[in-house]
Amino acid sequence: MFSNNQFKWASLTAAGLAATIATVVVPNLVQAQGGVIKVDGSSTVFPITEAAASGFQKGGGAKVTVGVSGTGGGFKKFCAGETDISNASRPILKKEMDACKAKGIQYIELPVAYDAITVVVNPRNPINSIKTEELKKIWEPAAQGKVMKWNQVFSGWPNANLRLFGPGADSGTFDYFTEAINGKSKSVRKDFTASENDNVLVQGVASDVNAMGYFGFAYYQANRSKLKALAVNGVMPSEQNVINGSYRPLSRPVFIYVNAKSAQRPEVKRFVQYYLNNGAAISKQARYVALPASAYRTILGHFNKNRLGTIFGGEEAVGLTIQELISREAR
């Protein structure tokens, strides 16, 4: 559990995040926390919410604590009533919807920005581009113990051991990537280094010339000097390519989910309103792709009107462009 006073996003050091990533949760005490707003979930969305929390608290807002346990781990806490807000790098899934329903937890789904999942290698790696079918050849379950060298994927690539780093099973980025690349969420080879701490993945790739990893765009942006991003199907991850819809299928919306009961508390309402009123600036500060101003106004309207539930039906939204998201939100 940590606040802006304990963690400065700009540093993004492995040691810094590792030291603050552990949280201790006392079940079902959200309301007993008084003015404290409890947030947990996605490491991808963490920088955005942490930037929002920092600005809100500087303006005299209530204390906001932001934990990192992955999208799946965050929803477990959220659906148990342990947090007010859940950061999520994918839409809520059917099993999570059922878990919330079983506990009487209603929620408001709010997209806050766009991300480009970035496939990275060591800067000394000669490879500059990769196709989605090549990513599948590397990451699919059938590759385990078999596709162990770069040149087994493409004959012109190095005859060198392939070392893989990726998000852990509680990560929404893991869910999205495996569905987008392998065709089924969580379907993946098991012989890779997994962590919900994106900085562990950054350090792993940065320290091994033969490594590959993937994570949110902001973590690449903060570590550009230590990593090389690969073009996917000839398209580089960038703000422009997310906005124009060409970086597919690895661009995706990211969300916060607000407990509907918590949303009635004045401090939570003020925080979410601050978050969305300043959504574009906060997203850019956190190195993500902002939604259009009109989209933030629409989403704020959904929050103020207490629009419950999800527009995704408990399923992933692979390849959804910003314009397609806006169209869904406008209905």
Side-chain angles (χ1 to χ4, degrees), residues 291-300 326:
L291 302 176
S294 59
Y296 286 112
R297 289 194 293 271
T298 297
I299 294 161
L300 177 60
I326 292 170

Side-chain angles (χ1 to χ4, degrees), residues 40-48 70-72 74-75 86-93 96 110 112-117 167-168 170-177 196 198 214-216 219 250-257 288 316-318:
D40 207 316
S42 168
S43 62
T44 300
V45 186
F46 165 79
I48 311 172
T71 296
F75 274 130
S86 203
N87 290 333
S89 62
R90 55 154 173 79
I92 190 169
L93 300 179
E96 294 158 345
L110 304 170
V112 293
Y114 247 72
D115 178 33
I117 296 178
D170 274 341
S171 166
T173 302
F174 171 81
D175 292 338
Y176 186 96
F177 182 88
E196 270 77 22
D198 291 313
Y214 66 91
F215 36 72
Y219 287 86
L250 295 182
S251 64
R252 40 102 186 243
V254 296
F255 307 84
I256 59 172
Y257 285 77
Y288 283 98
E316 188 59 88
V318 172

Side-chain angles (χ1 to χ4, degrees), residues 175-243:
D175 292 338
Y176 186 96
F177 182 88
T178 51
E179 182 156 333
I181 298 303
N182 295 334
K184 183 179 179 182
S185 179
K186 300 189 185 298
S187 175
V188 71
R189 65 191 296 169
K190 306 299 183 185
D191 52 344
F192 70 97
T193 300
S195 177
E196 270 77 22
N197 182 347
D198 291 313
N199 285 293
V200 171
L201 310 181
V202 168
Q203 296 303 319
V205 177
S207 63
D208 190 331
V209 66
N210 295 315
M212 167 190 279
Y214 66 91
F215 36 72
F217 186 57
Y219 287 86
Y220 163 67
Q221 288 279 76
N223 295 278
R224 294 176 72 103
S225 63
K226 298 188 288 185
L227 302 168
K228 177 166 67 173
L230 297 184
V232 176
N233 298 328
V235 180
M236 287 295 292
S238 69
E239 179 179 2
Q240 179 181 353
N241 290 338
V242 171
I243 291 171

Side-chain angles (χ1 to χ4, degrees), residues 79 92-102 107 310 313-314:
C79 293
I92 190 169
L93 300 179
K94 181 64 167 58
K95 66 178 182 179
E96 294 158 345
M97 294 167 64
D98 292 342
C100 278
K101 185 177 181 179
Y107 49 84
T310 173

Side-chain angles (χ1 to χ4, degrees), residues 243-322:
I243 291 171
N244 67 28
S246 63
Y247 189 70
R248 300 177 81 172
L250 295 182
S251 64
R252 40 102 186 243
V254 296
F255 307 84
I256 59 172
Y257 285 77
V258 185
N259 180 305
K261 186 175 181 181
S262 296
Q264 303 309 308
R265 289 164 44 200
E267 67 273 18
V268 174
K269 181 170 288 188
R270 287 195 302 271
F271 173 61
V272 176
Q273 290 171 338
Y274 172 86
Y275 199 137
L276 296 174
N277 278 323
N278 297 278
I282 289 168
S283 297
K284 290 177 181 178
Q285 179 185 341
R287 308 183 190 192
Y288 283 98
V289 179
L291 302 176
S294 59
Y296 286 112
R297 289 194 293 271
T298 297
I299 294 161
L300 177 60
H302 294 333
F303 175 71
N304 289 334
K305 294 174 183 176
N306 200 42
R307 190 183 78 168
L308 302 177
T310 173
I311 64 171
F312 294 93
E315 298 180 356
E316 188 59 88
V318 172
L320 190 73
T321 67
I322 290 178

